[in-house]
């Protein structure tokens, strides 16, 4: 199995220059990677989001928005996380009650653009949504 820069479908990896340090290499990888990457602080405000996250959730580069504001805005605009409820405030209260309570959580969600993603949350550290195949979803729900 080829997992290097030339691997089929791998668009994240680019050759490192000899003098490039690890931090700048990591920043380059996440910037060019199609995975949605974000960091929220202890007040649940967005501190960093890569371009893929910004595009998927309608966040402007360098925008500082709380998770609650982001969910509220995405619900109103029908973008980002797909939220299907008649009572948004109850949904929000329920979601907030579970958010960052455990050291690790993983769950699935839909995006308004039709993608289905798996989210891994590590106690305030990056949310790493992974795209999943619709076929798998149908099998898992049977």
């Amino acid at each position: 199995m080829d997992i290097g820069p030339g691997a089929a479908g791998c668009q994240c990896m680019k050759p490192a220059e000899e003098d490039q340090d690890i931090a700048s290499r990591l920043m380059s990888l996440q910037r060019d990677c199609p995975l949605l990457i974000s960091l929220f602080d202890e007040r649940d405000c967005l501190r960093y989001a890569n371009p893929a996250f910004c595009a998927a959730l309608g966040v402007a580069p360098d925008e500082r928005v709380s998770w609650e504001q982001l969910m509220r805005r995405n619900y109103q605009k029908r973008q980002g996380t797909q939220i299907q409820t008649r009572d948004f405030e109850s949904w929000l209260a329920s979601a907030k009650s579970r958010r960052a309570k455990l050291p690790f959580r993983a769950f699935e969600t839909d995006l308004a653009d039709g993608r289905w993603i798996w989210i891994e949350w590590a106690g305030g550290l990056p949310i790493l949504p992974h795209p999943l195949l619709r076929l798998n979803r149908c099998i898992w729900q049977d």
Side-chain angles (χ1 to χ4, degrees):
M1 171 188 247
D2 183 5
I3 58 171
C10 183
Q11 298 154 355
C12 299
M13 299 294 291
K14 291 184 178 176
E17 303 217 1
E18 294 270 337
D19 60 349
Q20 193 176 29
D21 69 347
I22 296 297
S24 65
R25 173 109 168 105
L26 286 171
M27 289 304 290
S28 174
L29 288 172
Q30 65 73 35
R31 195 173 36 249
D32 298 333
C33 187
L35 291 177
L36 285 60
I37 301 172
S38 63
L39 290 169
F40 288 81
D41 65 17
E42 65 280 352
R43 293 169 301 162
D44 221 3
C45 290
L46 183 64
R47 300 294 298 175
Y48 173 79
N50 75 338
F53 183 96
C54 290
L57 277 87
V59 175
D62 300 324
E63 182 177 8
R64 298 292 179 253
V65 61
S66 72
W67 177 83
E68 182 177 337
Q69 291 168 324
L70 183 60
M71 293 300 107
R72 189 177 301 283
R73 180 174 70 194
N74 283 188
Y75 177 72
Q76 291 168 349
K77 292 183 174 185
R78 304 286 186 245
Q79 69 181 23
T81 305
Q82 188 174 36
I83 302 168
Q84 295 179 348
T85 183
R86 292 175 193 228
D87 184 354
F88 177 78
E89 296 305 322
S90 292
W91 176 90
L92 185 63
S94 175
K96 282 173 55 176
S97 74
R98 293 185 308 273
R99 200 163 152 73
K101 299 293 186 220
L102 299 173
F104 178 82
R105 286 188 67 223
F107 52 93
E108 64 184 68
T109 191
D110 289 289
L111 295 180
D113 66 9
R115 287 182 285 172
W116 178 48
I117 59 175
W118 181 256
I119 297 179
E120 295 177 4
W121 173 261
L125 293 175
I127 294 177
L128 299 171
H130 307 283
L132 298 172
L133 298 174
R134 288 277 174 193
L135 176 62
N136 288 347
R137 184 178 204 184
C138 294
I139 293 169
W140 291 341
Q141 288 182 344
D142 286 341

